[in-house]
Amino acid sequence: MGCPRESRIEIERQMLSPLASRAELSKGRIKPEPECVIRTCYQRDIDRITHSKTFRRLKHKTQVFLQPEGDHYRTRLTHTLEVARISRTIARGLKLNEDLTEAIALGHDLGHTPFGHAGEGALNKYTKFEHNVQSLRVVDVLEYDYKGMNLTHEVRDGILHHRGVGTPGTLEGQVVQLSDKIAYINHDIDDAIRGGVLNIEDIPKEFVEAFGKHHGQRINSMVTDITASSDGKDKVAPSKAVGALIKSLRKFMFDNVYFGSTAKAEEGKAVDMIAALYEYYIKNIDKLPQGIRGLGCSEEQMVCDYISTMTDKYAIYEYDRLFVPKGWGIR
Ligand code: MG
């Protein structure tokens, strides 16, 4: 048997679009490493992310509903997996590098705070905090006992540019940027209906007519449109009509679910909790884990690093430990 990685590289040469990112042409890692015999550099990055503690913690981080008791609500972990699946399908349709899209998708939200965007907003009062920038910090610095994952340039670029200003430098990164939106708009509709925040009849007719009534139909319609309109082009985008509809469906979700709905009723408490933890740790830097204190960054950065790595569950545990008086036990 020859080298499995070499065979994979050959398949990429033959099968992928000339516009795709090929593993053999990667700009490489910050610290050069010998190649794996079996896996390409992007396949290796998928494994590094999946085996990290930060990835496992996504299961206890909020997507939209805080600490949901129902088993079927999305968490940051299931959101990430849905983004990875949608990304791979679009990449396959466009003959782009599926492994690269999967690695970017699995890593894109690693920097999310506890309690979703409410937690991010709370930290933003103290220092500029953006979860995409923090995701890059997780993979570059914080994971693997503060040694970082040493991922490839293309995966790091896609993680950093999955939102905010700037466009990803690869088409695979653009695929993840769009797949993130497709995933959350659709699964948040599903969860909002499950939680009684929306009724299926509330979704305006124009969206149902364009995308279908059910979760799978909606995703399939969007993915099919993006794949058809981006084939052979140097930009991944939906058709004009579908792009406008996705934009207004997203606005519908902001107006009816993401802001001010009953799903958000507890968010004020989550913001206060994060603020209290920040105030405590900025005055008690010596109580931060030794690894973070050893990073040599500003105190604000250390506290943000520590709080942003927490799950919803752990933030509540820490708050309880630090601020809620304990009863006197039986002696
Ligand atoms: Mg996301």
Side-chain angles (χ1 to χ4, degrees):
M1 186 182 84
C3 167
R5 180 177 51 79
E6 284 296 339
S7 313
R8 183 70 224 170
I9 294 281
E10 187 51 41
I11 291 169
E12 287 191 356
R13 279 182 206 139
Q14 288 174 17
M15 303 286 291
L16 295 188
S17 148
L19 296 162
S21 306
R22 300 203 325 253
E24 65 174 331
L25 301 178
S26 168
K27 289 183 186 162
R29 306 177 188 282
I30 294 173
K31 288 170 259 170
E33 292 177 31
E35 294 280 6
C36 173
V37 178
I38 298 174
R39 299 163 296 169
T40 68
C41 55
Y42 300 142
Q43 291 172 339
R44 210 172 182 189
D45 285 358
I46 292 173
D47 293 340
R48 285 185 187 185
I49 295 168
T50 312
H51 290 281
S52 71
K53 285 192 284 191
T54 316
F55 184 75
R56 296 200 291 281
R57 286 199 302 268
L58 295 176
K59 73 178 169 184
H60 290 304
K61 291 201 181 201
T62 288
Q63 176 58 32
V64 168
F65 291 84
L66 300 189
Q67 281 264 75
E69 281 178 19
D71 289 334
H72 298 143
Y73 290 99
R74 269 69 173 192
T75 64
R76 198 55 66 176
L77 180 63
T78 59
H79 160 72
T80 295
L81 296 174
E82 290 182 38
V83 176
R85 292 312 309 163
I86 293 169
S87 297
R88 277 197 86 110
T89 303
I90 297 176
R92 195 175 312 139
L94 295 174
K95 293 194 167 67
L96 297 176
N97 196 311
E98 288 184 51
D99 295 326
L100 174 56
T101 55
E102 182 170 356
I104 297 169
L106 293 177
H108 84 284
D109 270 352
L110 290 176
H112 251 294
T113 59
F115 308 118
H117 292 279
E120 186 165 357
L123 285 184
N124 245 318
K125 285 186 190 138
Y126 302 100
T127 178
K128 191 170 163 56
F129 185 93
E130 294 169 299
H131 78 261
N132 53 318
V133 176
Q134 191 66 21
S135 295
L136 188 64
R137 190 162 165 77
V138 167
V139 301
D140 279 355
V141 179
L142 300 178
E143 247 304 333
Y144 292 134
D145 296 328
Y146 310 104
K147 293 186 196 79
M149 297 188 197
N150 200 29
L151 302 182
T152 53
H153 169 84
E154 295 74 22
V155 174
R156 295 176 60 250
D157 170 82
I159 288 174
L160 179 63
H161 294 111
H162 83 268
R163 64 170 287 277
V165 284
T167 310
T170 63
L171 292 185
E172 287 81 359
Q174 293 183 27
V175 167
V176 175
Q177 202 178 31
L178 271 172
S179 302
D180 186 26
K181 283 198 186 85
I182 294 174
Y184 72 68
I185 291 171
N186 287 294
H187 63 49
D188 293 347
I189 290 176
D190 198 39
D191 278 0
I193 292 171
R194 175 169 292 106
V197 175
L198 278 184
N199 286 312
I200 188 80
E201 296 75 31
D202 297 334
I203 300 172
K205 228 170 65 192
E206 59 194 288
F207 302 128
V208 179
E209 278 166 10
F211 300 132
K213 198 173 177 182
H214 302 292
H215 181 69
Q217 288 172 331
R218 286 194 303 266
I219 294 178
N220 193 52
S221 305
M222 293 178 191
V223 166
T224 308
D225 177 84
I226 289 168
T227 310
S229 0
S230 311
D231 194 20
K233 304 215 174 102
D234 60 359
K235 186 174 177 343
V236 182
S239 65
K240 239 180 172 175
V242 166
L245 278 168
I246 292 176
K247 205 171 162 192
S248 51
L249 183 53
R250 189 166 169 263
K251 184 176 180 309
F252 169 82
M253 291 300 287
F254 272 91
D255 294 344
N256 294 280
V257 178
Y258 301 144
F259 289 128
S261 75
T262 49
K264 301 276 132 182
E266 294 293 297
E267 271 193 1
K269 293 179 197 169
V271 169
D272 292 345
M273 186 178 281
I274 297 291
L277 289 173
Y278 185 91
E279 298 286 355
Y280 173 81
Y281 280 108
I282 203 75
K283 288 183 201 128
N284 296 280
I285 292 291
D286 60 313
K287 298 285 195 298
L288 290 171
Q290 206 178 4
I292 287 187
R293 280 184 283 137
L295 289 175
C297 51
S298 70
E299 293 187 345
E300 289 79 10
Q301 181 69 61
M302 286 185 219
V303 176
C304 280
D305 281 344
Y306 186 49
I307 293 178
S308 65
T309 58
M310 293 179 185
T311 59
D312 298 9
K313 254 171 92 161
Y314 190 75
I316 293 169
Y317 166 83
E318 271 291 83
Y319 182 88
D320 185 68
R321 184 179 73 80
L322 294 169
F323 301 112
V324 178
K326 304 289 172 295
W328 187 259
I330 298 167
R331 304 272 140 169

